[in-house]
Amino acid sequence: MSKVIFHTGPRSATPSTVSPSMVGEIMHDARKRPLHDLRISVTDRCNFRCTYCMPREVFDSSYSFMPHSALLSFEEIARVAGIAVGLGVRKIRLTGGEPLLRKNIEILIEMLAQMRTLEGKPLEVTLTTNGTLLAKKAQSLMDAGLTRVTVSLDALDDSMFERMSDSQVSVRQVLDGIDEAARVGLAPVKVNMVVRKGLNDGQIVPMARHFRHSGHILRFIEFMDVGSTNGWNLQEVLTGAEILDRIKAEFPLEPVDAGYRGEVANRWRYADNAGEIGLITSVSQPFCGDCTRARLSPEGKLFLCLFASEGHDIRSLVRSGGSDQDIADLFGGIWSRRNDHYSEIRGRETIGLPKIEMSYIGG
């Protein structure tokens, strides 16, 4: 790989001085896909036990989560993120687990928000959350420099929502978080609904009706075979086309062009200008060919696919005194050899393959 030249100021725990400024070049993988997006999981803990992500029978009271000492510190995350930006990353999404459970997450957001892309533009810093703490933290997240927020919400009906999330949280609490996020300027809020046939597919049209005219973007996600504990069955997948047909029967829709390469959602707008929806179709219409995302786990492993079976250790080099150039060479070398395309070969070739859990690496 080409040498990356770093121009770094002094490092400290102060957010205003940890953000490095770098000059480099955009990295491409073995399939000529650029490195544009980095998803950083800041914790493997969550206050939900969603059946498709962290089923309680597996993630029960005896489950051992990572000790805090194993997690990358904010300074370590910012250092790796800054190096990734020097390799072409334009957008960082903080995930979990539930990222708002990570204490003082605003400090990390402030560090990241000061970075600039290779094009000299502000780095886009986003976050995906279940919304339970969003009403309380939206203003501080905005003040720290968060660009936008995505909220997971799988039903409007309280009993269905409690069943899906296996929690005692009300839908109203999540909706209040969405409203507060929009009020402080974290808009448009994207709302993600995982659709599981025979369970919550009856909520598709009510969700569409609720978020029309709201200014928020509702996105429907096909039930995916992430990890090995969610009991995935192809018969429980309602395809994006089927979801679209249900909505079209109520509200006419028109297609919208993708906003950028690697955008995961197929976009549609209501013909009456009531807003926009998205369809994320990893199962029925794989988008591996345009996947520009790398993932960093809470303890510093680099994963090249949501369906990967193993990661690449970055933390050891960070903590053993490796230079920025050493880390860039490792990161860039891993990406340049990337050939992952799981969703395109889903089937016989993937039966029995171990996969990381979504709760650990983020969606």
Side-chain angles (χ1 to χ4, degrees):
M1 61 174 287
S2 301
K3 184 177 180 67
V4 179
I5 302 170
F6 297 92
H7 300 282
T8 57
R11 298 186 182 278
S12 78
T14 306
S16 61
T17 59
V18 289
S19 176
S21 170
M22 289 175 276
V23 178
E25 63 179 58
I26 295 174
M27 293 296 305
H28 290 77
D29 68 8
R31 290 176 168 252
K32 308 303 181 185
R33 296 170 294 189
L35 174 63
H36 280 172
D37 305 80
L38 179 61
R39 300 193 172 192
I40 301 174
S41 180
V42 296
T43 180
D44 61 337
R45 299 172 186 268
C46 187
N47 52 352
F48 278 6
R49 289 296 177 267
C50 295
T51 54
Y52 57 81
C53 183
M54 290 183 75
R56 191 176 295 276
E57 58 268 26
V58 176
F59 297 89
D60 57 16
S61 58
S62 64
Y63 184 83
S64 297
F65 291 98
M66 293 181 192
H68 187 76
S69 59
L71 305 181
L72 290 180
S73 68
F74 290 161
E75 290 76 19
E76 290 170 332
I77 292 173
R79 185 182 181 199
V80 174
I83 290 167
V85 170
L87 297 172
V89 164
R90 299 171 179 172
K91 175 182 176 181
I92 287 179
R93 177 174 297 279
L94 300 179
T95 67
E98 170 47 50
L100 296 186
L101 291 179
R102 183 76 186 258
K103 188 177 180 182
N104 298 321
I105 189 71
E106 295 88 347
I107 294 175
L108 174 60
I109 292 170
E110 188 174 352
M111 293 176 176
L112 299 174
Q114 296 175 55
M115 297 182 185
R116 294 294 181 267
T117 68
L118 290 179
E119 298 82 7
K121 298 178 181 179
L123 180 67
E124 185 178 356
V125 184
T126 67
L127 180 146
T128 296
T129 174
N130 61 30
T132 54
L133 300 173
L134 189 54
K136 177 181 178 181
K137 296 181 75 70
Q139 186 65 64
S140 62
L141 296 172
M142 177 68 180
D143 293 343
L146 192 68
T147 309
R148 190 170 36 77
V149 67
T150 297
V151 179
S152 300
L153 179 63
D154 297 325
L156 284 176
D157 176 78
D158 269 311
S159 61
M160 178 57 65
F161 177 71
E162 289 179 11
R163 182 178 177 186
M164 291 286 290
S165 64
D166 193 4
S167 73
Q168 300 301 310
V169 174
S170 69
V171 173
R172 183 70 262 165
Q173 184 174 341
V174 178
L175 292 176
D176 286 346
I178 293 171
D179 291 343
E180 181 64 9
R183 188 193 69 79
V184 303
L186 294 172
V189 177
K190 291 184 178 179
V191 180
N192 284 351
M193 176 186 178
V194 173
V195 179
R196 196 166 180 174
K197 185 191 291 187
L199 185 56
N200 69 330
D201 55 312
Q203 291 288 291
I204 292 171
V205 173
M207 286 279 284
R209 183 178 295 112
H210 178 87
F211 286 105
R212 277 167 46 84
H213 299 289
S214 68
H216 310 315
I217 299 173
L218 176 61
R219 306 194 302 178
F220 300 92
I221 303 175
E222 292 177 346
F223 178 39
M224 293 184 293
D225 49 333
V226 178
S228 57
T229 63
N230 70 357
W232 185 82
N233 185 326
L234 182 60
Q235 301 306 311
E236 293 182 273
V237 176
L238 194 70
T239 68
E242 292 171 314
I243 294 169
L244 193 63
D245 285 343
R246 292 198 189 186
I247 301 171
K248 280 184 173 180
E250 296 283 334
F251 312 109
L253 292 164
E254 302 170 342
V256 178
D257 291 338
Y260 55 91
R261 178 178 179 180
E263 188 169 24
V264 299
N266 295 315
R267 298 167 60 191
W268 295 79
R269 61 170 167 250
Y270 294 108
D272 62 355
N273 295 316
E276 182 179 318
I277 66 167
L279 297 166
I280 299 176
T281 57
S282 173
V283 179
S284 67
Q285 294 178 301
F287 38 80
C288 298
D290 274 336
C291 180
T292 61
R293 291 171 296 285
R295 290 172 166 83
L296 188 67
S297 71
E299 87 286 32
K301 288 185 179 180
L302 182 66
F303 288 85
L304 302 179
C305 178
L306 178 59
F307 304 98
S309 58
E310 60 183 1
H312 305 265
D313 183 17
I314 299 292
R315 184 184 66 183
S316 292
L317 186 57
V318 171
R319 293 189 175 177
S320 64
S323 68
D324 284 355
Q325 188 65 58
D326 292 335
I327 298 167
D329 287 344
L330 176 62
F331 197 127
I334 292 168
W335 181 266
S336 67
R337 296 188 296 272
R338 175 186 186 238
N339 191 41
D340 299 67
H341 56 124
Y342 175 93
S343 291
E344 290 182 347
I345 60 172
R346 181 184 279 110
R348 274 190 206 175
E349 294 183 60
T350 61
I351 291 175
L353 287 181
K355 297 189 293 292
I356 53 170
E357 297 296 332
M358 186 164 60
S359 58
Y360 159 68
I361 200 61

